Amino acid sequence: MEKIFNIIHKNKNSRARTGVLTLPHGTVQTPVFMPVGTNATVKSITNDDLNDIGFEIILANTYHLYLRPGADLIQEAGGLHGFSKWNKNFLTDSGGFQVFSLSKLRKITDEGAKFQSNIDGSYHMFTPENVVDTQVKFNSDIQMQLDVCSGWGVSRKEAEESLRITSDWLLRAKKRWEECREQGYKGILFPIVQGNFFEDLRKQSAEFVDSLDFPGIAIGGLSVGEPKEEYSRFLAYTVEHLTEDKPKYVMGIGTPDYILDAISNGIDMFDCVLPTRNARNGSYFTRDGMLSIKQERFIHDFSPVDRECNCKVCRTYSRSYLRHLFKSGEILSSILATFHNLYFLNNMIKEAREAINNDRFDEYKEAFLSRFKAGKIL
């Protein structure tokens, strides 16, 4: 299988590493946080602003785009890049998680997942093959296999069945992806490790995925309601059973503690809606914790959200003004908060990469989280 990932430097005291992903629409420096653009747009921010912050890859959602506007229209427009005019990389998820979490009615069989649209109630069927085909129409740079994600607390029997179906679906997805590659598609398919919170099932899934020699690997079934210590334990355990030199992606994590924990375990890629969702709710990342802009104490506060942040929001606007925008329901509130939160996380990742390259990531992580968790916002 072709190599898409080069490790630049390994931190001496942990699995943390820096690297470079080489994808159809340019290189990506890792570790990397990917903003979520569910409908081929990251909510409340333009492509120009994403470029200015420095993002090299964003995520789009197969389920939502399949239902509206439809894969054929996106293909007609030149794929996601031609449709949205985001000219860097797209990672698309399989839509499987949305099938299981959004659908009023769904049925999982060996063939695929039948589900009811959350938009108009119409019925649809996702199979491993047509999910690959849909993402090929999107011209995704990285696409994900259709999988069955089981949540925290399910029975062993359910976890075993979910893993069996996921593994079978992976073989079918791989076959279709390879056929599409022969026809000129350039994108990469990532398999997904499942196994819930049973060590032997996790090991079984990791070793099976590893044996198929994909260019990269995703780790699923984490951050699904489990306690933080269980997330950390199963993440570390899963990574132990995966080839070191492949890029690794953990889906759905977007807070500094989860991200830095993932980096220390050798994870290279992560995404989450949390930074942009928090922004729309008036919650800003700062080095001293989360700042809720709606608080009355900011009415006469003309200082920036974060005195140490160099983003255009912190250079320009005061807490007082940003509170006024939020309380007035102004659209600009979401726009500015989104820019700041994404800038903040991207800057944290850049600092983490620099710390890894200088063999001081552990110290950086401890110092950053100690201050962030103390929450002493002045």
Side-chain angles (χ1 to χ4, degrees), residues 212-235:
L212 298 176
D213 195 26
F214 282 91
I217 296 169
I219 299 172
L222 295 176
S223 192
V224 290
E226 75 278 10
K228 175 68 162 57
E229 59 272 16
E230 287 297 284
Y231 158 81
S232 299
R233 184 166 76 87
F234 272 87
L235 175 58

Side-chain angles (χ1 to χ4, degrees), residues 111-312:
E111 175 60 23
K114 184 178 181 181
F115 64 95
Q116 192 173 11
S117 165
N118 71 313
I119 297 172
D120 61 9
S122 58
Y123 286 92
H124 304 268
M125 181 79 167
F126 274 174
T127 68
E129 293 84 2
N130 69 26
V131 164
V132 168
D133 293 341
T134 295
Q135 293 177 91
V136 169
K137 289 178 180 179
F138 294 162
N139 197 25
S140 307
D141 298 283
I142 299 176
Q143 63 165 277
M144 311 301 294
Q145 72 150 122
L146 185 65
D147 67 327
V148 182
C149 180
S150 54
W152 167 252
V154 305
S155 68
R156 181 182 176 90
K157 182 178 179 181
E158 183 176 338
E160 287 176 337
E161 181 67 2
S162 296
L163 177 55
R164 181 190 68 79
I165 293 174
T166 294
S167 300
D168 290 346
W169 285 358
L170 175 57
L171 294 175
R172 290 164 54 190
K174 183 174 188 284
K175 183 173 184 293
R176 179 58 65 90
W177 170 64
E178 289 171 343
E179 292 168 355
C180 294
R181 295 272 287 183
E182 290 172 2
Q183 296 164 13
Y185 171 61
K186 304 292 186 186
I188 300 301
L189 175 68
F190 273 22
I192 301 176
V193 177
Q194 288 289 352
N196 200 258
F197 296 91
F198 299 92
E199 288 188 357
D200 59 326
L201 298 184
R202 278 270 159 191
K203 180 181 178 183
Q204 174 188 327
S205 181
E207 291 178 346
F208 174 70
V209 161
D210 236 4
S211 72
L212 298 176
D213 195 26
F214 282 91
I217 296 169
I219 299 172
L222 295 176
S223 192
V224 290
E226 75 278 10
K228 175 68 162 57
E229 59 272 16
E230 287 297 284
Y231 158 81
S232 299
R233 184 166 76 87
F234 272 87
L235 175 58
Y237 181 80
T238 304
V239 170
E240 285 176 12
H241 297 93
L242 294 171
T243 301
E244 184 182 34
D245 62 359
K246 301 284 181 67
K248 298 176 184 65
Y249 164 37
V250 171
M251 295 172 281
I253 57 173
T255 57
D257 54 343
Y258 274 75
I259 289 174
L260 294 175
D261 193 8
I263 291 174
S264 67
N265 279 289
I267 302 303
D268 309 289
M269 308 165 66
F270 13 82
D271 76 280
C272 193
V273 298
L274 188 73
T276 49
R277 180 182 290 163
N278 277 1
R280 297 191 299 277
N281 290 316
S283 181
Y284 287 73
F285 283 108
T286 80
R287 289 187 180 270
D288 294 303
M290 300 304 297
L291 181 150
S292 175
I293 202 67
K294 67 185 74 172
Q295 293 179 4
E296 287 189 19
R297 64 185 175 125
F298 299 133
I299 292 175
H300 300 283
D301 188 342
F302 301 107
S303 63
V305 164
D306 187 330
R307 293 171 179 83
E308 296 172 42
C309 178
N310 197 41
C311 82
K312 65 181 181 181

